[in-house]
Amino acid sequence: MRELWFDLREAIARAEETITGYTAGTTNEPPEPWLVLDIPGARLWFTAVNAPRPRSGAIAAVHDDGPPPRAGAFPLYRQPLTEPDIDGENTLDQLRAAARQGHRWLVVDTSVPPRLRTAAAYDTDRVPETAVWTPGWLATGDLGPYPGQVAHGYQHNGSAVFRLTGETVQRIAADSNARPFKFPEQDADLLVLRHHDSSIEMFVVRVPGANTLGHHNEPFVVETRQLTAGPDGWYRLTAGRWPWRHASPPALPTARRRGQRRQHEPDVFEAEGPDGSRCTVCGATGYDIAHQELPSMAGYGTDTTTSCRICGSSETCAEEIGWSSHRTVWPPVLDPSPTADEEGTRP
């Protein structure tokens, strides 16, 4: 079955623009927003049902999986966004709830009729150029956490897609090579690195644990990999041996002033366009970034807080305590039990 994968947050933003961008007609009824799906063209847009022809810009599918459609097999499909179903729920609210839970994709199953669902990650071994990389902390096995960048919305064989600097690769090798000294009776994998300009040759060497007489068998190479830095200097270390998972950062001071950051500690928010901000934890922008200013409890000046409505990360500058930040673990750990968002959005 063919599936079309659309950026969930872009879809929600376009739907909300459609709701607020059109005025009611002569009947004074609010314009009901509808999702319009062009399956052969792998795109969707939103329109107000009582508007003459205006509609949002089309959103192209980021991923198109499955066989191409038969010619003329699929006419345009329309689905209301805010019309309640028999349970009192509507499609747009379900999409918003899925985004708050960490889902990144609106997925269209091109059955007849099409079925909509949301998904947290797209599984692939090749991350496209359109992927958004944001700072994060990850761990694998008992190693970590390590700083790097995460391609949000992507995974490879269930592992987070993570890229690292050359210095962090060396840290991982040093941590891995320290294991035999801590647990000499257990088998251990050592990482031997050879640097070649922009690439690193990595040998995984298995060191058998000590037997009952305290003797070790000979070590042997179990894997050889060539890590090549991308144009921006980052290395990808993703394989079955490295099932990366999101982790909390090391403990940091509760307060700090701007400019007094520890190494690898990024600001929670970065500039996005002339006036906007982007959350470096989950990648949210625009309306999802909230700003608040209040008179300071110190009796002078102003306390400011910037927070992300999606993941809950925040930065605060208070006259009394200075600069502080809170980075959540993202994406959140989802409830393993089936939910409405996981099972799909009802058409």
Side-chain angles (χ1 to χ4, degrees):
M1 181 61 65
R2 185 167 177 245
E3 288 186 335
L4 304 177
W5 293 66
F6 299 91
D7 185 291
L8 175 60
R9 291 180 187 171
E10 183 181 4
I12 293 173
R14 295 289 178 88
E16 292 175 342
E17 290 172 3
T18 302
I19 293 173
T20 59
Y22 304 117
T23 58
T26 56
T27 60
N28 292 324
E29 295 179 355
E32 169 65 33
W34 284 61
L35 180 151
V36 183
L37 180 64
D38 175 10
I39 292 178
R43 60 180 185 158
L44 61 80
W45 60 83
F46 300 91
T47 184
V49 69
N50 63 345
R53 280 193 63 81
R55 64 190 187 194
S56 71
I59 303 173
V62 180
H63 309 288
D64 184 352
D65 294 339
R70 302 189 307 274
F74 294 93
L76 292 180
Y77 170 76
R78 294 173 172 84
Q79 177 170 327
L81 282 178
T82 57
E83 179 180 307
D85 59 16
I86 58 176
D87 297 324
E89 300 178 344
N90 64 66
T91 299
L92 184 55
D93 284 345
Q94 292 177 16
L95 297 182
R96 288 167 173 159
R100 289 192 295 270
Q101 290 182 1
H103 287 207
R104 304 284 299 194
W105 303 103
L106 170 59
V107 188
V108 178
D109 180 340
T110 59
S111 55
V112 180
R115 182 173 180 269
L116 308 184
R117 64 182 177 88
T118 61
Y122 181 82
D123 198 281
T124 179
D125 59 349
R126 298 181 64 87
V127 178
E129 294 296 328
T130 55
V132 176
W133 294 89
T134 56
W137 291 86
L138 282 88
T140 179
D142 60 347
L143 301 178
Y146 301 107
Q149 291 186 341
V150 184
H152 282 306
Y154 291 92
Q155 65 182 18
H156 177 55
N157 295 331
S159 168
V161 177
F162 190 38
R163 63 184 186 182
L164 319 118
T165 63
E167 293 78 5
T168 303
V169 174
Q170 293 181 17
R171 285 180 53 193
I172 295 173
D175 292 346
S176 178
N177 296 346
R179 284 175 174 171
F181 299 101
K182 297 179 180 179
F183 309 102
E185 72 284 355
Q186 298 179 6
D187 292 352
D189 288 342
L190 307 185
L191 299 185
V192 179
L193 305 180
R194 291 181 181 175
H195 295 266
H196 308 278
D197 296 328
S198 62
S199 66
I200 298 176
E201 192 173 14
M202 183 177 71
F203 300 89
V204 181
V205 180
R206 174 66 52 82
V207 178
N211 57 28
T212 55
L213 299 178
H215 298 301
H216 292 270
N217 293 323
E218 289 295 324
F220 55 95
V221 175
V222 295
E223 182 181 351
T224 302
R225 292 193 59 190
Q226 191 80 14
L227 305 179
T228 302
D232 45 13
W234 292 88
Y235 293 88
R236 287 270 304 276
L237 187 58
T238 303
R241 186 177 295 276
W242 308 99
W244 294 105
R245 65 181 186 277
H246 293 262
S248 299
L252 296 172
T254 57
R256 59 176 171 84
R257 291 286 181 182
R258 265 198 195 278
Q260 297 180 346
R261 306 205 321 267
R262 290 189 177 185
Q263 187 181 11
H264 304 301
E265 184 195 351
D267 283 334
V268 175
F269 300 97
E270 62 185 10
E272 172 78 2
D275 303 312
S277 298
R278 172 187 293 275
C279 176
T280 64
V281 177
C282 69
T285 59
Y287 169 80
D288 293 326
I289 308 301
H291 304 276
Q292 184 179 35
E293 293 187 3
L294 295 172
S296 174
M297 295 293 291
Y300 58 89
T302 302
D303 294 343
T304 61
T305 299
T306 303
S307 58
C308 177
R309 290 188 171 98
I310 294 295
C311 68
S313 298
S314 63
E315 284 186 345
T316 300
C317 186
E319 295 291 346
E320 288 185 300
I321 64 174
W323 186 265
S324 61
S325 65
H326 170 65
R327 297 179 66 88
T328 59
V329 175
W330 191 259
V333 178
L334 301 180
D335 187 345
S337 60
T339 65
D341 295 314
E342 293 171 334
E343 294 181 347
T345 303
R346 287 189 291 272

